[in-house]
Amino acid sequence: MQQLNNTTYSVRRTFWRYTLPSVAAMLVNGLYQVVDGIFVGHYIGADGLAGINMAWPIVSLLIGLGLLVGLGSGSLISIARGEGATQTARTTLSTGLGLMVLLGGLMMILLAAFGPALMMAQGATGAVLLQGIEYIDIFAWGAVFTIAAGALPMLVRNDDSPNLSTGIMCLGAGLNILLDYLLIGVMAQGLAGAALATILSQSAVSLIALGYFFSSRSALRLTWRSLSFRVSLALKSMGLGMSVLSMYAYFGFVVAVHNRLFMDYGTTTHVGAFAVIGYLMAIYYLLAEGIAGGMQPPISYYVGTRQVASIKTTLLLAIKVTVLTGLGFVAVFNLFPETILGWFIQNDPALMETTVHGLKLHLFALYLDGFLALASVYFMAVNQGGKALVISVGNMLVQLPFLYLLPQWFGLDGIWLSMPLSNIVLFAVVAPMVWLDISQRQLQRRPASV
């Protein structure tokens, strides 16, 4: 990170230099799912939306594993580079590549074995079940590419090439849109076509990013002889990134429980409405993850160079941007719901009415989700994976009593309200944790009074 060593280069400029490409990359990456939803909503309808939403909790584990490797290994790489340990950074990168292959092979086996059972556990039957299984089967065969497509662009960014990382992601997203149109719109391949379009696009992203690390453009250039796998670094990377995997496991779990509850208390129309709202939530959440991802390399570097004031400035700026953007999303969703939902819904008044109602209840505290994601990545960036994991696991556990009790008291409205109310409770715990951590760092750097 050559620019971070320049004392005239402000912390704020550094933050935006990493955050803007990171946000663009995450939003572009999110287009894989959102564009799938748009094409499925227009060409397949409510059953297709329900099927892809029931497959999402399973596929989300692959995405979470990619981010686990990308953010976990990326944090270690940035810290090592801040300490001037280039060889350690290179070995960490090589170990991260090995993790992608190992985790991809494991998930291919698990998805093939348990995918259909997990769909049925959410209440999937008939056409919804069959389409969901087709979707999952293709992701099982392409598991390595899904994980690599999530991890490698982050590692490219941590190699001090944020713009290249964004460019690779944009290429993959553009290819995904083209293939979605061909496979879903023209060839009518249904959810199988949506999955195949995503896997082919992710394959292109993975191969291009991998080629970069073997080129002269990479600061941590790899060669076949330099490839190695160090178990200790793999475990440390996984420990740091575990909070992100837990967060995606939490999302998958929450989506699965919501799907089951909507099937118990409502119909597939409610599951389809929840799918559309999930896509809108994902747009903001990916933006928040992009801000967090852009914040991570500088903060990790500042930890290595012991620049406490720069850590605080970067963190507070990230919080302001995340929360204010979230408030803006909530305002737009409530002022123009039919216009926004028209991206996904055509000629289905029942689905539109159900989705508008759910949107207003489910996303009123959306900005708190962004703060919680930011807090988790912050603790990961400062090498406190345990606290990051506590936030991610807590995010899942705190929802359980709400999901159990509120539907019994308020029916379908109780299902919609479970997540935002639980986020308010968790925010009251996590915000003091973040403030206490940064305050303690300032005290540790303050000279003792004479």
Side-chain angles (χ1 to χ4, degrees), residues 385-444:
K387 289 183 180 179
L389 183 59
V390 166
I391 295 173
S392 298
V393 173
N395 211 351
M396 179 171 60
L397 294 179
V398 74
Q399 288 202 44
L400 294 179
F402 288 93
L403 287 168
Y404 178 73
L405 293 173
L406 292 186
Q408 298 181 49
W409 296 343
F410 305 110
L412 287 166
D413 283 353
I415 304 174
W416 291 121
L417 287 169
S418 295
M419 186 194 75
L421 293 180
S422 67
N423 280 346
I424 293 172
V425 172
L426 188 61
F427 171 80
V429 176
V430 173
M433 284 175 58
V434 174
W435 182 255
L436 180 61
D437 181 84
I438 199 66
S439 299
Q440 288 177 338
R441 290 178 185 277
Q442 288 181 298
L443 289 173
Q444 290 169 0

Side-chain angles (χ1 to χ4, degrees), residues 1 4 11 14-19 78 157-158 292-305 307 310-311 314 381:
M1 296 187 182
L4 295 186
V11 172
T14 299
F15 170 80
W16 288 114
R17 176 177 179 267
Y18 280 86
T19 296
S78 292
R157 188 188 67 226
N158 278 271
M295 172 192 75
Q296 173 265 311
I299 284 186
S300 293
Y301 185 89
Y302 296 141
V303 170
T305 56
Q307 300 180 52
S310 297
I311 295 173
T314 303

